[in-house]
Amino acid sequence: MASARFVVLQVLLVAAALAAVPFVLSDPPPLQDFCVADFTAATAVDGFPCKPASTVVDDDFFSSAIVSGPNTSNPFGANTTRATVSAFPGLNTLGLSIARIDLAPGGLNPPHSHPRGSELVLVLVLKGEVMVGFTSGANRLYSKVVKENELFIVPRGLQHFQHNVGAGDAVFVAMFDAQSPGLVVPTFSLFATKPAMPMEVLAKTFLMGEDEVDVIKSKFAGF
Ligand SMILES: *[C@@H]1O[C@H](CO)[C@@H](O)[C@H](O)[C@H]1NC(C)=O
Ligand SMILES: *[C@@H]1O[C@H](CO)[C@@H](O)[C@H](O)[C@H]1NC(C)=O
């Protein structure tokens, strides 16, 4: 009898813990009006300590980080400019950030994900036509060609890509509900690690011969 009650209690505790999970996954809510990042602080915390309020100035809440387009002359024809907390200290503790992505004609922001609790990646196309796609846990691909002022949403943590399918350059911004959403690009995580991923792991993963894996690896040698 007592043990049955104990099991019920355990089930309730697990249910309560699961219910709390969504609040734990994204950035925690701030505890003060603002906490402008102090990059010079000697202490390390999960995030950045706050500058003393007396030293906070208007420019701490302003950023021109994404005003100008970066150089897209690279093999992917893509380049990302981030206004995350490290470039924009006023974002510290606010659970928000933004990035500008420039794509040359045919350019591709290769499949990647943002691990740190970005609840969503909201893609707003400023110029051009961009095919945005993400894959679900069931390996279904959801994609749309997104044009100027149109939006597409990428749910938290899922693999996604952006491909310029228009005739000219394309520019879009991605908005995150995290001050530093992080970035994982599986191709780089597999083929450009230091030290290198063991060959047996790569060959087995791709059901390929080692010579075929070497061909792919050679393409990522410069990254
Ligand atoms: C992205 O653009 C910046 C600024 O133009 C440039 O310094 C950087 O090398 C570019 N990165 C790549 C991968 O092309
Ligand atoms: C862009 O990068 C390429 C390759 O690094 C370089 O040749 C070119 O001069 C750069 N363009 C500008 C406008 O900086």
Side-chain angles (χ1 to χ4, degrees):
M1 201 60 192
S3 80
R5 226 178 287 141
F6 181 65
V7 168
V8 169
L9 182 64
Q10 273 188 323
V11 168
L12 286 176
L13 283 174
V14 169
L18 287 177
V21 161
F23 301 101
V24 182
L25 286 176
S26 59
D27 288 6
L31 303 176
Q32 58 267 304
D33 280 358
F34 53 80
C35 170
V36 175
D38 180 358
F39 298 130
T40 64
T43 45
V45 293
D46 191 14
F48 296 100
C50 316
K51 276 168 68 163
S54 59
T55 68
V56 171
V57 294
D58 306 60
D59 272 350
D60 285 322
F61 302 105
F62 169 82
S63 170
S64 56
I66 65 168
V67 168
S68 41
N71 191 329
T72 55
S73 300
N74 58 59
F76 297 101
N79 199 332
T80 299
T81 313
R82 293 180 185 85
T84 50
V85 67
S86 51
F88 192 176
L91 291 177
N92 195 38
T93 74
L94 298 184
L96 295 167
S97 60
I98 193 164
R100 165 187 173 142
I101 296 89
D102 287 67
L103 299 170
L108 174 72
N109 193 19
H112 62 279
S113 64
H114 305 284
R116 255 189 310 285
S118 49
E119 185 98 12
L120 48 89
V121 180
L122 194 56
V123 177
L124 168 62
V125 173
L126 302 180
K127 179 170 131 186
E129 290 177 35
V130 179
M131 176 187 268
V132 187
F134 69 84
T135 47
S136 70
N139 296 329
R140 161 84 150 88
L141 171 68
Y142 296 88
S143 73
K144 280 286 283 186
V145 173
V146 187
K147 302 193 187 79
E148 242 166 76
N149 298 323
E150 293 180 339
L151 302 166
F152 192 76
I153 201 157
V154 177
R156 174 177 54 218
L158 298 184
Q159 286 292 326
H160 58 284
F161 67 87
Q162 291 100 1
H163 185 207
N164 181 358
V165 293
D169 291 338
V171 181
F172 67 90
V173 291
M175 294 165 246
F176 304 95
D177 73 338
Q179 66 177 19
S180 183
L183 176 68
V184 174
V185 187
T187 38
F188 289 82
S189 312
L190 289 165
F191 297 110
T193 60
K194 287 179 189 67
M197 190 69 70
M199 178 55 92
E200 313 84 81
V201 173
L202 290 175
K204 197 80 178 172
T205 299
F206 289 91
L207 305 177
M208 278 180 175
E210 298 191 358
D211 48 340
E212 293 167 296
V213 172
D214 269 333
V215 173
I216 306 178
K217 275 186 85 165
S218 67
K219 310 276 184 196
F220 288 88
F223 293 98

